[in-house]
Amino acid sequence: MKLTEDPHRRLNPLTNEWILVSPHRTSRPWQGEVAKLQTTTEPTYDPNCYLCPGNSRVGGARNPQYTSTFVFDNDYAALKPDTKPERLDFDSLGLLVAEGEPGVCRVICFSPRHDLTLATMSPREIEPVVQTWVEQFRELGSREHISYVQIFENRGAMMGASNPHPHCQVWATSSIPEAPAKELIAQEQYLRSHKRCLLCDYISLEQRQQVRIVCENAGFVAVVPFWAVWPFELLVCSLRHMGGMNDFTPEDFRLLSEMLHRVTSTYDKVFQVPFPYSMGFHQSPTDKADHPEWHFHAHFYPPLLRSATVRKFMVGFEMLGTPQRDITPETAAARLRELATG
Ligand SMILES: [Zn+2]
Ligand SMILES: [Zn+2]
Ligand SMILES: [Zn+2]
């Protein structure tokens, strides 16, 4: 079996799920949807933007004239802190089960400037954003009923971001959400059977092979994981073993800012457009237990496949069976590496 030619499946050891790779299909002609290319440049201030300084939001609140980052409780929060965490199980058969989910949803603006992105902000300008993430993680994670703090950014209309103003969200929940819950189990099992950390071992394998690594600095590495589903998916890991932002040193603020700028500006070069993506940090749960197994990382899931207008869809076999990709992670990594260093 040749990884460059033959259909095969690859294991994601972080979730224990498989993905299907079909490298022989990369020359297949495209006859599907071609999205409209968004080419408008944004103004530095938009009077109609609910995130710009001084503007009023839908709920009636008015934003302050903020000059750096700005955090507020989401006006349409998906979670409420005062929800009762009770469990319902109709007829005790485990067939109709529901649980109250207390939580907090916040919005973090990266900058007062409406037209910036992580790719166009300098690493120095990103540092206060990282600082704010760390503060939010600490504050929400220390609350009694919060077991997990998910920081994530949806960028671009293609990913459902309704506003181009640079911002992200924080959802803090009383339960551990599905994706990190799977990774928790896998990392725990790996630590138990190998007496080592899964991602520490994975990173050192990638560093030896130098096939899927896109870029690296003194603190973080960006790699197209062997099991990537999205065409240009990236995993950004800390080189040092640490559970999350609670363990950051001042140097980590600087190095993560630099890495995020590098990754996002590289993405923008792939198809010469602001690259849409969903990204988020996977950190140690804040359930007040020890998590020696957890290794801090971020996932970038960008949907673009072949051009600025052709995206990957998760439909058909992928929705009903297993996610699948044509272009191999190694080919995607080579392309990104060329753009990251060029
Ligand atoms: Zn704005
Ligand atoms: Zn580790
Ligand atoms: Zn993860």
Side-chain angles (χ1 to χ4, degrees):
M1 196 266 295
K2 283 207 182 88
L3 290 180
T4 50
E5 289 167 29
D6 301 316
H8 59 277
R9 49 182 210 148
R10 298 188 183 191
L11 177 69
N12 179 345
L14 265 179
T15 57
N16 271 311
E17 292 168 339
W18 293 85
I19 75 130
L20 183 62
V21 185
S22 315
H24 59 291
R25 290 214 311 179
T26 41
S27 54
R28 192 170 56 115
W30 178 264
Q31 292 183 316
E33 185 214 49
V34 175
K36 273 216 183 68
L37 187 57
Q38 184 208 338
T39 47
T40 50
T41 46
E42 298 295 335
T44 56
Y45 167 78
D46 178 351
N48 297 314
C49 167
Y50 67 93
L51 298 175
C52 275
N55 290 0
S56 55
R57 303 202 301 270
V58 194
R62 186 174 286 277
N63 298 330
Q65 287 291 345
Y66 65 97
T67 52
S68 178
T69 61
F70 169 52
V71 185
F72 62 93
D73 283 330
N74 197 319
D75 299 312
Y76 289 104
L79 299 157
K80 296 188 291 182
D82 49 5
T83 305
K84 293 228 169 9
E86 24 179 40
R87 184 183 168 95
L88 301 178
D89 184 352
F90 295 93
D91 290 337
S92 303
L93 290 171
L95 298 176
L96 297 173
V97 177
E99 277 179 8
E101 178 80 55
V104 179
C105 295
R106 287 181 178 161
V107 177
I108 302 174
C109 295
F110 296 165
S111 162
R113 283 266 304 267
H114 183 81
D115 59 328
L116 295 180
T117 64
L118 289 179
T120 55
M121 289 165 80
S122 68
R124 276 200 77 116
E125 288 172 319
I126 298 173
E127 274 181 55
V129 179
V130 177
Q131 179 80 50
T132 306
W133 288 336
V134 174
E135 285 163 12
Q136 290 296 315
F137 183 78
R138 284 186 183 148
E139 191 227 304
L140 293 167
S142 66
R143 292 196 189 183
E144 194 189 344
H145 293 298
I146 296 300
S147 296
Y148 201 80
V149 180
Q150 182 63 59
I151 299 170
F152 64 96
E153 180 194 9
N154 282 333
R155 204 187 105 176
M158 209 176 252
M159 292 312 277
S162 51
N163 188 327
H165 195 111
H167 72 286
C168 74
Q169 300 187 55
V170 192
W171 290 23
T173 49
S174 65
S175 66
I176 302 175
E178 287 299 300
K182 281 178 200 159
E183 297 185 352
L184 179 66
I185 293 169
Q187 290 180 100
E188 265 174 2
Q189 281 173 347
Y190 191 93
L191 180 65
R192 215 176 307 130
S193 49
H194 295 83
K195 308 278 177 266
R196 287 193 307 269
C197 160
L198 189 159
L199 280 176
C200 281
D201 275 5
Y202 175 65
I203 294 159
S204 67
L205 265 174
E206 290 291 0
Q207 283 174 322
R208 254 176 286 151
Q209 289 199 1
Q210 291 292 333
V211 178
R212 284 167 296 269
I213 289 182
V214 171
C215 55
E216 191 175 332
N217 65 19
F220 299 88
V221 60
V223 57
V224 180
F226 182 73
W227 54 85
V229 169
W230 295 93
F232 294 96
E233 178 176 333
L234 279 173
L235 178 71
V236 175
C237 287
S238 61
L239 291 176
R240 197 170 83 247
H241 182 82
M242 58 171 142
M245 292 175 170
N246 274 339
D247 305 315
F248 272 21
T249 63
E251 186 68 352
D252 291 324
F253 288 93
R254 194 181 66 75
L255 292 166
L256 182 62
S257 305
E258 187 195 282
M259 181 53 78
L260 292 175
H261 172 74
R262 205 141 148 216
V263 162
T264 52
S265 57
T266 298
Y267 271 159
D268 284 2
K269 291 182 205 159
V270 176
F271 299 124
Q272 302 295 328
V273 282
F275 214 62
Y277 59 75
S278 266
M279 81 83 128
F281 300 102
H282 274 164
Q283 314 197 52
S284 175
T286 56
D287 55 0
K288 322 308 175 263
D290 278 340
H291 287 284
E293 78 291 336
W294 198 277
H295 190 120
F296 174 79
H297 61 277
H299 298 279
F300 280 84
Y301 299 133
L304 289 183
L305 176 62
R306 221 166 310 174
S307 73
T309 53
V310 177
R311 61 158 297 172
K312 175 183 175 62
F313 284 98
M314 287 278 203
V315 293
F317 189 77
E318 318 207 271
M319 200 178 246
L320 294 150
T322 295
Q324 182 268 344
R325 65 180 293 143
D326 293 347
I327 166 183
T328 63
E330 292 74 29
T331 308
R335 178 82 187 114
L336 290 173
R337 189 163 52 240
E338 196 180 277
L339 294 167
T341 51

